[in-house]
Amino acid sequence: GYVFIARDITGERQAEQARAELYQLREANAIKDEFLGLVSHELRTPLTMILGNAQALGARFRSLPPEVVEESLRDMTANARRLHSMVESMLLLSHLETGHDVESEPVLVQRLLPAIVEQFGTAYEGADIRLDVDPALPPVEANPTYVTQIVSNLLSNAMKYGSKGSPIELVATQGPDAVRVAVLDRGSGITEEEATRIFEPFTRLDRTQFQASGAGLGLTVCKRLVAALGGAIGARPREGGGSEFAFTLRALEGAKAGAAAALAGDTA
């Protein structure tokens, strides 16, 4: 004959699932604590600089030499810009991680990039950006605000880590099914191994972390934004020194591209 033995393991399954959920919760809390620690540290520094300069100007504005006042105002502007960039990065990451749909439209990169460079040059005095854009690029399916954020982040990185006195190149070319946008500098460069991990959150290279401050979120934001637009982003060392950061945007096809190009011609 046969003997059948049945055992109810529902409780064990539930306990196992509870242990897994507890582990995930602890891991998420650890990541959150690390995030808050890093962000609070990065926010505290520019806030302290702004507060210190504001207090000094408020107490002794009339007695300070004009050059000291100008330097204090420059410091306050630079640190306020740094705060704004970090807050924008955190808001964008939060927006993307909650699964919001990306609103896209036909975009002409050859029109958007010059406007970004002009805006960037106004905000950062002394920025030497060489623009090389194919005027016959096809329209791409993108979000202009996202593209502006990506390019601005990459240009800002090139400014911070590039070699002083060397121009930054912003190049846009056409690929088989996409438009490729690249930012090139002649800074300290990047290795192949570093290029594979530099887009991860809070990643900063040991040999360059003292060149400029930051929370290590800018490139993470770029990666998430490019992915949301259906493109790809990467980095590689340049021959002769420096780095190249490039991303792709999907080109519109057929009738959509023709309609977008015609509309652009009508509004030119």
Side-chain angles (χ1 to χ4, degrees):
Y2 297 91
V3 176
F4 295 93
I5 300 175
R7 184 165 60 93
D8 186 358
I9 61 171
T10 303
E12 294 179 13
R13 290 283 180 85
Q14 290 175 341
E16 183 180 344
Q17 183 177 357
R19 284 194 295 269
E21 291 175 352
L22 179 61
Y23 176 79
Q24 292 175 353
L25 181 61
R26 287 175 177 173
E27 192 175 45
N29 281 334
I31 293 173
K32 182 197 70 175
D33 291 342
E34 180 187 14
F35 174 80
L36 291 176
L38 285 167
V39 169
S40 63
H41 173 75
E42 292 297 332
L43 292 177
R44 188 181 296 114
T45 302
L47 281 173
T48 301
M49 293 289 293
I50 293 171
L51 180 60
N53 279 293
Q55 289 174 335
L57 290 176
R60 299 186 295 135
F61 179 79
R62 298 184 184 278
S63 62
L64 291 172
E67 59 272 17
V68 174
V69 173
E70 290 179 7
E71 183 179 357
S72 295
L73 290 174
R74 281 197 300 269
D75 286 344
M76 292 172 70
T77 301
N79 281 283
R81 187 178 295 121
R82 179 180 163 193
L83 277 174
H84 180 266
S85 177
M86 282 190 284
V87 171
E88 283 294 309
S89 294
M90 288 186 286
L91 289 174
L92 276 171
L93 285 176
S94 176
H95 180 79
L96 292 172
E97 288 175 355
T98 52
H100 284 81
D101 293 332
V102 177
E103 296 181 0
S104 59
E105 61 186 68
V107 174
L108 287 173
V109 171
Q110 58 268 46
R111 288 195 171 185
L112 184 60
L113 292 185
I116 296 173
V117 170
E118 182 179 357
Q119 180 182 3
F120 192 87
T122 302
Y124 292 85
E125 296 181 7
D128 184 4
I129 303 173
R130 310 287 175 85
L131 191 60
D132 182 7
V133 180
D134 181 356
L137 291 175
V140 296
E141 186 77 25
N143 181 300
T145 302
Y146 282 13
V147 177
T148 299
Q149 181 74 25
I150 296 163
V151 175
S152 297
N153 279 1
L154 295 181
L155 289 175
S156 178
N157 263 19
M159 281 283 293
K160 290 190 292 185
Y161 299 106
S163 176
K164 289 185 178 181
S166 296
I168 299 168
E169 299 174 48
L170 179 57
V171 182
T173 54
Q174 182 176 353
D177 302 305
V179 169
R180 185 177 186 270
V181 180
V183 174
L184 304 96
D185 65 64
R186 287 296 183 188
S188 54
I190 188 173
T191 66
E192 295 287 353
E193 186 274 330
E194 290 168 343
T196 62
R197 60 184 179 87
I198 199 170
F199 291 95
E200 296 304 315
F202 312 118
T203 298
R204 303 197 59 203
L205 304 181
D206 293 338
R207 58 188 176 81
T208 61
Q209 62 178 327
F210 297 109
Q211 285 184 245
S213 55
L217 288 175
L219 291 177
T220 302
V221 169
C222 289
K223 182 178 179 180
R224 302 279 176 86
L225 291 177
V226 171
L229 295 174
I233 189 170
R236 64 183 181 185
R238 290 184 70 187
E239 186 177 349
S243 304
E244 175 183 352
F245 287 81
F247 65 96
T248 57
L249 298 169
R250 292 180 300 184
L252 285 173
E253 299 179 359
K256 286 186 177 181
L263 180 60
D266 292 339
T267 57

